[in-house]
Amino acid sequence: MKRFISLLLVLGIVVSLTAPLASAQEKPKASPAKPKAFVYEDKIGVVKIKKGDPIHIACWMVVAGPDASLGTDTKRGVEIAIDDKGGKILGFPIKLSVQDTGCNAEGGQAAATKLAADPTIVAAIGSNCSSEARPGAPILWKAGIATVSPSNTAPFLTDPSRGPEYDGYLRTAHNDKVQGAVAAQFAIKQLKLKKAATIHDGSPYAEQLQAVFAETFKKMGGTITAQEAVAPTDTDMRPVLTKIATGKPDIIYYPIFIAAGGHITRQVKEVKGLEKVKLMSADGTFSPDFIKAAGETAIGMYHSSPDFSAFGAGYKAFLEKHQKKYGEKPIAPFHAHAYDAAMMVFAAIEKVGRVAPDGTLHIGRKALRDALYATKNFKGLTGNLTCTATGDCADPMIAIYQMTADNVKKQVIPDKPIWSPAAAAAKSAPAKEAPKKK
Amino acid sequence: MKQAIKLGLIGGVVAVLLSLVGMVEAFGQRQIIANVISMGHTLLLLVGLLMSYLAAKRTPTTEPINVLTNGFISGFFVAGLVVLLIILGSLINLRKVFINASPMLYNLLTVGMEKRAGSFLLILIGLSSGLLASLFTLAPPLLRRVLLISVGSIVGAGVLQDLLRPTFALWGPLSIINEWIFTANGLTLRGAIGLFILITAFSFFWYRKGKAIQSRFHQLPSAPQRILKMTGILTLVFILLILPQVLGLFLSEVFTIVGLYVLLGLGLNIVVGYAGLLDLGYVAFFAIGSYTVAVLTSPELGFFNLSFWEALPFAVVLGVISGVLLGIPVLKMRGDYLAIATLGFGEIIRILVLSDFLRPWLGGAQGIGKIPKASIAGFEFTGPQQIYYLILAGCLLVAFVSLRLRDSRLGRAWMAMREDEDVAQAMGINLVATKLLAFATGAGFSAISGAIFATKLSSVYPHSFNVMISINVLCVIIVGGMGSIPGVVVGAAALVGLPELLREFAEYRLLVYGAVLVAMMLLKPEGLWPEPVRRRELHEDEDEAGLDQTSNSNE
Amino acid sequence: MLRRWIERMTPTDVIMWLIGGAILLMIFWGSAATLSAKTYTAHHWFDFIVFGLAQGSIYALIAMGYTMVYGILRMINFAHSEVFMSGPYTAYFVAAAFYSSGFLDQHPIISLILIFLTSMATSTLVAVLLERIAYRPLRTAPRLIPLITAIGASFFLQYTFRGFYGSGFQAYPVVKILEGEWAWGEFRILKFQAVVIVAAAILMASLYSFVQRTRVGKAIRAVSEDKETSSLMGIDIDRMIVTTFVIGGMAAGAAGVLYALMFKQVHFFMGFIPGIKAFTAAVLGGIGNIPGAMLGGIFLGLVESVGPSLFLDGLGIVAPYQLKDAIAFTMLVLVLIFRPTGILGERLAVKKA
């Protein structure tokens, strides 16, 4: 106790001594630093970066714990984007810091608070799980930090009713509402199937997707034979598949992640009654890693994913850089979304950043947010990004892909879709509304 | 000699391990002192220094020459194994198996030089770290302590730079410290040297004069002594009250998280620490508290729309009831049967709140959102700087209750039961009531924590309530010192607060956490702040260790 | 007799029996409803049972490690799940090398043996190091302390292996001779499931007879009965404890490869869930008791596979397989209510636990 008091005393003395000193030093500094010619104002605040100091970009992602592969994957996407920029924006080096979010709400809140407390942060990229963004994004925006998520898909985050506290939130991942509906349309219209079963893994992402799928499927005249659920850590899927087999579905829709998705794909054919069933998954498993997990059993299965056939070349180059830098293939599906998110942020900074005559870079927080929201026709790895008024930036063009034997052999995902709502609408003139989202 | 080689080899293995798990490379990006030394290099250097220090210290004689040789030898072996890794890496492609054996790593290990020269340099560094460490061993104790503190605080400042910078920035005029000490990545050289001198001087002063001040304090007559003590406590209270304003947003957040774990820990402390019932499903009550508040208050579900304060009593009562309900079936189980049954109970609760089956009432995978914030007379507990007070109040209340419980008849009954159930029963203690009361009290505290957690996050998800929380809380109370109330606070600060501060090193957080848990239990099994009784017990144990090998099986 | 029994009943006993009875009633009601609905035919049930047996025999193999260490040290070796993970994850690199060189397809049996050996060696090494570094110094400490050490070691090992081999997963190659199925009419069994069940049975039988029949096994049992006396009898306690860890590690390494052959994916976190399940199985069977661990493992595997369909489907509960772990743990509580020391738990366990 005694020790503490004296410590406090010393601290007090130090403070009282340095206070006048510091203010005396600061005054002369303040006036010449701001020449009258250069005016840069912002409604929320301006980040000033001195010459030679870096532009601080923060990631809040899940890089530890059982879901670490998701965050590590997106973090690598951002790192490659920085490399592609040569590590510099407007001549200023980029500094990246990463906060772990743990794929849960409390981790998201803590990480977001940490970022919010650091005034040097210009913009953030994240979060990974929608549960993190729910408490986290408002905290960031309260501090004036805009954030672009590469992998949140829950609809409420960009719902018009989300409230002004989410104004700084955008995402390059797909809103579940769009994707689930396209999958159901494909199953009914193109494959002409009547009976479907769905499986989710208890994540908000998968649960939402399968709910939208089931709803659309039923609305269009199909029947849902079972809506099952597994745990993402489950390995033995044969019992649950046996149960599904009793309903004799034509197609199983399981918009889950790679590990459990791989197990289901491998084990489906081993279950009696499911030898002929069609399989469909979503962008959560649309990656070369999934082929590794599912092996040859992936041949013939369908995936819904953004239509990036036009931008495939960039993705190939990305994969090569990834292999060279990390010694392995991407480990989860959202690295390209993260790359796009980072590139979007960089482009926005380039757009609003102004260098003052003394070499200090000024970036307005509100201006940056507005620039992000104004993103239009941005050519990314995942498609043509255009942000809506509520922050959905993913290319709305969802298409259906099918794995071929050749894909599996070469361990690459298909680059040409077999079906898309827009193409289908063009073919048969009176076809119903394509899910153009707005 | 043999010892030195052994220590050197262990150090080498550790250094190679650190390189291969990627820590050296990942930390290599961050500078401790800008353009002088990176964190990755510091890490390796620390391994070398520590091992040489141990080797030098364990030298049987105090002859400087022997001490020096031992230091040299172990430093050489640490560096030698790293060089072996470099050689091996240049011969075969280790990366096919070890993904972190990247060119970047070798580049860092050889300090950016060509391999042969770099290896040579490494050995040189190893030897000089041996020299430094053995000189350190030979130095007088005062100098040793002072050096340790000042070097430690420079490394600490370098590691925590991202945290200190925003905090200093809050302190108005003091924020010029930032300009002086920090660059964007790492300390400035002048800052590091300045810091070193300042801290060295300060700790010198403290060690020379501190004793005198202390003894003068004790010589004072009792009345002024009491006044001084009172002012001390008042200052502490005052500091606790202004803390969030001084420390800023993030550190307040850390305090609130630590506070939640203190609440949980105090509850589990009653079950495990006082009553000796190993509960691995403690998270269940935390979840019950959270979900009760969520269901009762959230307009998203729209069942009740109560306010936080109206819902809180329900949460606590429900927690207590479920504590009793869990308690009854496990009454007859002992030890590890109890552990696994409670673990199962925790999992059952988590699975139920996640399930599609209960989705209409509990939200399922999508969780429950829009939980209102608590407020008192217009003061709303919104951000961490406000919720801090709510949690502080909760902690003080719960700490007070458990302090009183410990010294009560019930508390003594719990402890008697912990020591030996059969004897306790023979002494007339009603085991059933005593056990159930322990479960109920613990569950109640946990439910309070859960309720605050729900309003803090304004949303609850089933994923927040996994078995890791139970395990963490158990670690908190054991590392803190079982049965000790200040121990819970210290344990939570060490095991929850520190990792939270080091959030950006998250990838290696659990690795270090695990290693620290093991080291901690090996070196200080009684915990950081043990109960006096327990400390005595453990020391008895140590004395008897050689004689009584089976003492643990009767525990 | 009956009167004495009624006199000895306490209110808590009544509540316990009521809880137990309620669970049993639910189970019977659910089963009756499911069976009368006739959604499932005989071959469905046969499939469920085979799936459960395959999964259960892996649990049983891992549970052996838990139960033996518990028997001899009276501690929960929480890090055993990482012993289980380290083997197959390391052996993957051998398997991948064999696969890419074509050796696996030419000499599948030899390759499999080598893969097994690598895995068992790695797991054993990890188990022995664990004992030496983390547990031996704490042998006389109060029981919660080695538990925390074990938890710490578990984290450390998980993240060390993650650092070594990456945070993604690796997939074991397909072994051609294990593909396909044997069928009799509408009943059938997948080849590799049969292999897993048979291999696990052989391994367990040989380990069990090692413990029961050999001198070393006898010494191990003596040490777990009473350390002091057995050291007076000239048994080297340290060596026996290490041997126990070696046996546990070997069983875990073998279980790991069987697991990898059955599910293909290996990653740094793969041990956590099977570890908890196997520990549950060990407790279910009566911890410290080797046949109990086997029985517990098989029982748990069966409950997970059959339980959701049998107990819950008939009650109209949606997505029953999401609740399979809840069912497994409920069954555990149910068993422990009626037999507080597990299915085969001895009186001895009451004294020592």
Side-chain angles (χ1 to χ4, degrees):
Chain A
M1 196 71 261
K2 191 72 200 23
R3 203 166 171 187
F4 199 81
I5 298 169
S6 51
L7 235 164
L8 216 87
L9 220 94
V10 172
L11 209 85
I13 295 169
V14 171
V15 171
S16 50
L17 281 180
T18 43
L21 207 110
S23 52
Q25 269 186 355
E26 221 171 359
K27 262 174 209 156
K29 234 186 195 172
S31 44
K34 265 191 194 156
K36 272 164 204 145
F38 184 80
V39 182
Y40 188 97
E41 279 174 353
D42 191 86
K43 275 198 185 124
I44 295 176
V46 181
V47 192
K48 289 174 199 153
I49 298 157
K50 270 183 286 174
K51 202 168 181 183
D53 277 1
I55 298 177
H56 191 167
I57 307 281
C59 288
W60 48 310
M61 292 169 174
V62 39
V63 288
D67 302 298
S69 54
L70 190 59
T72 310
D73 185 58
T74 43
K75 184 192 83 182
R76 287 172 174 176
V78 175
E79 283 171 351
I80 292 177
I82 293 176
D83 289 352
D84 282 2
K85 272 265 161 199
K88 276 187 175 162
I89 316 173
L90 299 168
F92 286 73
I94 305 170
K95 172 183 169 182
L96 183 72
S97 62
V98 184
Q99 307 294 339
D100 178 43
T101 49
C103 199
N104 50 39
E106 63 274 21
Q109 189 178 44
T113 312
K114 179 151 193 195
L115 300 187
D118 188 346
T120 62
I121 289 170
V122 177
I125 297 167
S127 63
N128 282 130
C129 303
S130 299
S131 54
E132 301 159 355
R134 196 156 172 170
I139 294 173
L140 285 178
W141 185 231
K142 214 171 158 192
I145 299 172
T147 186
V148 186
S149 163
S151 66
N152 296 159
T153 56
F156 69 79
L157 288 169
T158 54
D159 196 79
S161 70
R162 63 180 179 166
E165 65 268 31
Y166 288 94
D167 274 355
Y169 176 87
L170 304 96
R171 64 174 158 206
T172 56
H174 288 87
N175 192 324
D176 290 337
K177 273 188 181 159
V178 184
Q179 211 185 141
V182 173
Q185 285 168 358
F186 170 71
I188 294 252
K189 281 191 192 157
Q190 180 71 17
L191 297 178
K192 310 255 186 291
L193 301 175
K194 286 275 167 270
K195 286 194 291 184
T198 66
I199 305 175
H200 73 84
D201 65 353
S203 65
Y205 160 82
E207 206 271 346
Q208 186 76 37
L209 267 180
Q210 66 84 26
V212 173
F213 175 90
E215 198 185 314
T216 320
F217 198 80
K218 272 188 263 184
K219 217 186 277 165
M220 296 176 77
T223 36
I224 298 290
T225 62
Q227 278 176 291
E228 278 295 335
V230 294
T233 47
D234 278 355
T235 49
D236 197 2
M237 306 293 183
R238 296 171 187 105
V240 65
L241 289 169
T242 307
K243 178 176 186 298
I244 286 176
T246 58
K248 302 193 176 62
D250 303 317
I251 184 165
I252 302 178
Y253 181 61
Y254 49 108
I256 55 180
F257 292 103
I258 291 172
H263 288 310
I264 290 182
T265 315
R266 269 189 199 270
Q267 294 169 19
V268 157
K269 298 284 182 306
E270 294 163 6
V271 171
K272 202 162 188 184
L274 293 179
E275 292 87 348
K276 296 254 160 57
V277 78
K278 298 223 167 16
L279 302 175
M280 177 145 70
S281 188
D283 55 358
T285 54
F286 196 54
S287 97
D289 231 27
F290 175 73
I291 301 172
K292 188 164 97 187
E296 289 185 358
T297 50
I299 295 173
M301 79 174 284
Y302 302 102
H303 285 270
S304 56
S305 190
D307 189 350
F308 55 55
S309 45
F311 304 96
Y315 187 64
K316 215 174 151 198
F318 174 89
L319 284 180
E320 279 162 16
K321 284 174 212 154
H322 193 286
Q323 181 70 37
K324 205 169 146 213
K325 194 165 163 123
Y326 306 107
E328 57 182 341
K329 287 209 184 71
I331 53 177
F334 292 105
H335 43 272
H337 296 85
Y339 179 92
D340 286 354
M343 282 304 195
M344 233 173 84
V345 169
F346 299 158
I349 291 175
E350 278 169 353
K351 208 157 106 191
V352 301
R354 294 274 177 285
V355 182
D358 66 346
T360 313
L361 176 65
H362 290 59
I363 301 169
R365 293 198 180 276
K366 177 87 169 49
L368 182 67
R369 179 260 174 206
D370 291 343
L372 281 169
Y373 268 84
T375 302
K376 216 171 175 186
N377 271 326
F378 185 84
K379 304 266 181 292
L381 292 182
T382 58
N384 246 338
L385 306 183
T386 300
C387 296
T388 66
T390 52
D392 257 329
C393 303
D395 191 329
M397 303 296 287
I398 294 273
I400 305 289
Y401 295 80
Q402 187 172 23
M403 291 278 182
T404 64
D406 194 45
N407 290 142
V408 172
K409 208 167 152 199
K410 290 186 187 145
Q411 298 240 338
V412 289
I413 50 175
D415 50 5
K416 285 233 162 51
I418 55 161
W419 187 83
S420 72
K427 227 183 271 171
S428 54
K432 250 178 73 184
E433 91 288 3
K436 276 268 172 55
K437 145 185 72 132
K438 184 70 198 220
Chain B
M1 183 76 167
K2 221 172 163 187
Q3 181 93 358
I5 296 180
K6 198 175 139 197
L7 282 169
L9 285 178
I10 292 177
V13 169
V14 172
V16 169
L17 197 87
L18 288 176
S19 313
L20 285 183
V21 297
M23 266 169 106
V24 173
E25 190 186 333
F27 292 0
Q29 318 283 337
R30 285 186 60 129
Q31 306 284 323
I32 291 278
I33 302 171
N35 302 324
V36 177
I37 189 162
S38 77
M39 243 171 85
H41 288 132
T42 314
L43 198 65
L44 286 180
L45 201 62
L46 282 181
V47 172
L49 283 173
L50 182 72
M51 284 304 160
S52 311
Y53 168 70
L54 285 179
K57 206 181 131 197
R58 290 190 187 170
T59 318
T61 59
T62 43
E63 289 282 313
I65 196 76
N66 287 351
V67 175
L68 275 178
T69 0
N70 273 346
F72 266 133
I73 289 172
S74 84
F76 174 79
F77 274 100
V78 173
L81 279 193
V82 178
V83 169
L84 268 184
L85 172 73
I86 297 173
I87 295 172
L88 199 67
S90 58
L91 292 179
I92 52 175
N93 183 9
L94 282 180
R95 213 177 178 189
K96 274 200 170 146
V97 177
F98 297 106
I99 57 156
N100 279 309
S102 62
M104 259 297 276
L105 174 71
Y106 299 125
N107 194 18
L108 265 167
L109 288 180
T110 53
V111 208
M113 286 161 60
E114 181 264 334
K115 275 196 180 111
R116 202 165 302 164
S119 305
F120 189 68
L121 185 73
L122 253 181
I123 298 275
L124 220 63
I125 293 175
L127 287 177
S128 44
S129 78
L131 179 72
L132 274 177
S134 34
L135 283 180
F136 180 76
T137 324
L138 293 172
L142 178 65
L143 186 66
R144 265 200 316 221
R145 233 183 273 171
V146 167
L147 271 178
L148 209 63
I149 290 177
S150 40
V151 171
S153 32
I154 287 183
V155 174
V159 171
L160 293 177
Q161 49 181 301
D162 272 353
L163 210 75
L164 294 176
R165 217 177 308 132
T167 311
F168 288 150
L170 287 176
W171 293 357
L174 266 185
S175 59
I176 54 150
I177 301 180
N178 279 345
E179 301 269 318
W180 207 74
I181 300 184
F182 293 117
T183 64
N185 188 1
L187 303 169
T188 54
L189 193 55
R190 58 168 182 194
I193 292 171
L195 209 62
F196 183 83
I197 293 171
L198 196 77
I199 291 170
T200 310
F202 187 77
S203 47
F204 238 128
F205 169 78
W206 181 249
Y207 279 117
R208 294 293 284 275
K209 302 281 178 194
K211 276 267 164 54
I213 296 174
Q214 252 171 13
S215 65
R216 208 184 304 159
F217 172 72
H218 285 298
Q219 277 162 13
L220 281 175
S222 71
Q225 207 173 351
R226 202 178 307 144
I227 293 174
L228 269 178
K229 267 189 185 157
M230 276 312 284
T231 26
I233 290 171
L234 281 180
T235 344
L236 188 74
V237 169
F238 178 70
I239 291 175
L240 276 177
L241 284 179
I242 60 159
L243 214 51
Q245 265 54 48
V246 180
L247 292 182
L249 203 56
F250 179 63
L251 286 174
S252 310
E253 170 80 11
V254 173
F255 270 97
T256 59
I257 295 171
V258 171
L260 283 176
Y261 270 88
V262 170
L263 274 175
L264 282 170
L266 287 172
L268 191 65
N269 194 31
I270 287 180
V271 185
V272 181
Y274 292 175
L277 303 163
L278 180 52
D279 184 346
L280 285 182
Y282 194 59
V283 68
F285 310 114
F286 186 57
I288 288 170
S290 288
Y291 266 86
T292 311
V293 166
V295 169
L296 291 180
T297 61
S298 169
E300 207 172 80
L301 293 171
F303 294 144
F304 302 100
N305 295 332
L306 299 185
S307 76
F308 173 75
W309 297 109
E310 289 162 342
L312 184 65
F314 287 99
V316 177
V317 168
L318 219 66
V320 168
I321 292 176
S322 54
V324 174
L325 274 184
L326 164 72
I328 290 173
V330 301
L331 272 177
K332 288 203 174 147
M333 301 171 199
R334 291 192 184 188
D336 304 295
Y337 290 91
L338 180 64
I340 201 73
T342 47
L343 185 138
F345 182 68
E347 280 294 280
I348 291 174
I349 295 290
R350 184 186 64 84
I351 293 167
L352 283 182
V353 295
L354 174 64
S355 68
D356 288 0
F357 162 54
L358 294 175
R359 174 156 187 192
W361 302 281
L362 299 177
Q366 304 296 337
I368 303 175
K370 301 203 172 125
I371 298 166
K373 299 284 181 191
S375 64
I376 298 180
F379 180 79
E380 216 183 24
F381 297 96
T382 41
Q385 281 164 311
Q386 290 82 39
I387 287 180
Y388 171 86
Y389 295 107
L390 191 62
I391 292 177
L392 185 66
C395 285
L396 290 178
L397 179 77
V398 167
F400 177 73
V401 171
S402 48
L403 202 68
R404 299 297 301 165
L405 276 177
R406 189 188 62 182
D407 298 333
S408 71
R409 196 186 167 78
L410 181 61
R412 286 194 300 276
W414 279 334
M415 277 171 238
M417 195 170 70
R418 176 182 77 195
E419 299 308 326
D420 195 319
E421 276 189 22
D422 299 331
V423 174
Q425 195 167 24
M427 300 303 283
I429 290 170
N430 179 352
L431 282 188
V432 171
T434 318
K435 273 191 185 176
L436 288 184
L437 273 172
F439 275 119
T441 322
F445 290 175
S446 179
I448 296 178
S449 184
I452 300 177
F453 178 78
T455 165
K456 172 174 179 283
L457 277 173
S458 9
S459 54
V460 290
Y461 287 91
H463 304 282
S464 304
F465 306 103
N466 58 32
V467 63
M468 288 306 299
I469 307 246
S470 305
I471 291 176
N472 266 340
V473 179
L474 186 68
C475 292
V476 161
I477 65 168
I478 289 176
V479 166
M482 217 167 67
S484 144
I485 292 170
V488 172
V489 180
V490 175
L495 290 189
V496 182
L498 267 184
E500 208 55 59
L501 293 181
L502 300 173
R503 205 160 247 285
E504 65 255 45
F505 307 113
E507 271 178 84
Y508 300 98
R509 198 167 62 171
L510 285 167
L511 184 97
V512 176
Y513 183 81
V516 167
L517 275 188
V518 175
M520 176 74 212
M521 288 296 108
L522 291 179
L523 300 176
K524 212 166 154 46
E526 74 269 27
L528 291 169
W529 191 320
E531 285 270 85
V533 184
R534 268 203 98 67
R535 186 175 0 203
R536 243 176 289 137
E537 270 171 27
L538 269 159
H539 281 276
E540 263 170 45
D541 258 27
E542 263 165 38
D543 298 336
E544 291 171 15
L547 301 171
D548 185 11
Q549 286 247 342
T550 51
S551 67
N552 64 325
S553 57
N554 304 323
E555 195 94 18
Chain C
M1 178 71 199
L2 189 71
R3 241 187 64 202
R4 262 186 62 197
W5 191 70
I6 291 174
E7 272 166 15
R8 273 174 48 196
M9 289 270 284
T10 60
T12 45
D13 278 339
V14 176
I15 299 177
M16 252 174 70
W17 284 76
L18 278 179
I19 295 177
I23 299 175
L24 275 180
L25 191 73
M26 283 279 283
I27 289 175
F28 286 128
W29 184 25
S31 311
T34 310
L35 291 176
S36 63
K38 295 209 170 61
T39 342
Y40 303 98
T41 56
H43 76 85
H44 284 132
W45 293 119
F46 182 78
D47 280 352
F48 280 137
I49 289 170
V50 173
F51 299 150
L53 278 180
Q55 179 79 60
S57 45
I58 288 176
Y59 289 158
L61 265 180
I62 311 171
M64 280 190 71
Y66 275 107
T67 221
M68 286 185 69
V69 168
Y70 188 87
I72 205 160
L73 286 182
R74 307 273 155 217
M75 67 165 285
I76 306 176
N77 181 9
F78 227 88
H80 193 62
S81 48
E82 271 50 66
V83 173
F84 164 76
M85 170 273 290
S86 61
Y89 205 175
T90 309
Y92 159 78
F93 295 99
V94 178
F98 283 158
Y99 179 71
S100 57
S101 65
F103 189 75
L104 185 69
D105 289 335
Q106 288 158 9
H107 307 281
I109 304 286
I110 300 174
S111 322
L112 277 179
I113 289 174
L114 285 174
I115 291 169
F116 264 100
L117 286 179
T118 319
S119 170
M120 286 160 90
T122 316
S123 287
T124 308
L125 182 73
V126 172
V128 170
L129 281 178
L130 198 65
E131 195 273 334
R132 183 70 196 82
I133 296 171
Y135 299 155
R136 191 176 294 181
L138 291 173
R139 222 170 272 161
T140 55
R143 44 189 302 136
L144 275 181
I145 287 168
L147 174 70
I148 300 294
T149 319
I151 291 171
S154 168
F155 285 138
F156 178 77
L157 285 172
Q158 262 174 28
Y159 283 85
T160 304
F161 276 90
R162 180 191 151 170
F164 282 168
Y165 304 145
S167 50
F169 66 92
Q170 304 291 353
Y172 262 61
V174 172
V175 183
K176 293 229 170 76
I177 51 163
L178 297 180
E179 294 296 294
E181 60 182 38
W182 289 300
W184 312 270
E186 60 175 2
F187 298 105
R188 71 212 172 92
I189 182 165
L190 298 165
K191 272 186 193 168
F192 66 81
Q193 280 180 330
V195 169
V196 166
I197 295 171
V198 170
I202 293 172
L203 272 164
M204 282 190 281
S206 51
L207 285 179
Y208 184 57
S209 62
F210 175 80
V211 174
Q212 288 296 327
R213 302 270 162 80
T214 61
R215 273 181 73 85
V216 180
K218 205 183 252 173
I220 289 178
R221 280 182 293 138
V223 174
S224 38
E225 285 289 328
D226 190 332
K227 285 202 196 66
E228 209 166 74
T229 315
S230 43
S231 86
L232 289 176
M233 297 293 175
I235 297 172
D236 184 346
I237 294 185
D238 278 344
R239 243 187 70 196
M240 287 313 121
I241 292 177
V242 170
T243 316
T244 309
F245 273 84
V246 167
I247 296 174
M250 274 163 51
V257 178
L258 292 178
Y259 178 94
L261 289 176
M262 197 148 106
F263 300 121
K264 303 293 184 286
Q265 296 173 22
V266 286
H267 52 96
F268 76 98
F269 210 67
M270 67 184 271
F272 187 70
I273 302 284
I276 286 196
K277 294 285 175 59
F279 180 58
T280 311
V283 171
L284 198 58
I287 191 152
N289 180 314
I290 297 181
M294 300 177 195
L295 195 66
I298 304 241
F299 179 74
L300 200 66
L302 283 177
V303 165
E304 279 184 7
S305 169
V306 182
S309 292
L310 185 61
F311 305 151
L312 297 184
D313 213 16
L315 298 177
I317 286 172
V318 290
Y321 275 91
Q322 201 176 19
L323 301 172
K324 75 173 190 198
D325 289 355
I327 296 177
F329 284 117
T330 312
M331 295 301 281
L332 171 86
V333 172
L334 189 68
V335 168
L336 291 183
I337 283 179
F338 293 110
R339 285 194 63 89
T341 52
I343 303 175
L344 296 184
E346 303 145 44
R347 297 291 304 158
L348 184 95
V350 185
K351 255 193 301 179
K352 291 209 171 170

